[in-house]
Amino acid sequence: MSLSCPYCQSRDTVLLQSPHYFPINPSSNTNSNPAMSPMALAALGVSISKSLNLPPIAGALVGVLIGGVWMLMTEDDAQRSTSPISIQHYYCNDCDRDFSPNIRNSSF
């Protein structure tokens, strides 16, 4: 059974389902750790390389590399921590509009 379109009152509507991905636990965002950013780790690498009498650029490069790998790992974890939820909506073939099934048909 199709719903009538709330915009043009046509019965030529189609039920569509589209997956939406929402985070399972939004408070566990691991990307928000500024201490593990590539810039912070580059600065740490520079200070460590200076204390070891190594060129500071070497410490900066190692810090940026470690920070970049950390960002890639935490980004993959954030993408895996999403769950698909199917959202239903209708599409009207007459007026080319889509609408939620929760919209009540009202007379204008």
Side-chain angles (χ1 to χ4, degrees), residues 18-79:
S18 59
H20 290 276
Y21 295 91
F22 297 104
I24 292 174
N25 188 0
S27 65
S28 68
N29 188 2
T30 56
N31 288 336
S32 64
N33 189 356
M36 295 300 285
S37 71
M39 291 302 292
L41 290 178
L44 179 66
V46 167
S47 65
I48 290 174
S49 66
K50 282 182 180 178
S51 67
L52 296 174
N53 290 330
L54 296 172
I57 190 71
L61 290 175
V62 170
V64 167
L65 180 68
I66 292 172
V69 169
W70 177 262
M71 282 180 56
L72 289 175
M73 288 174 30
T74 56
E75 184 176 299
D76 287 344
D77 290 343
Q79 288 176 352

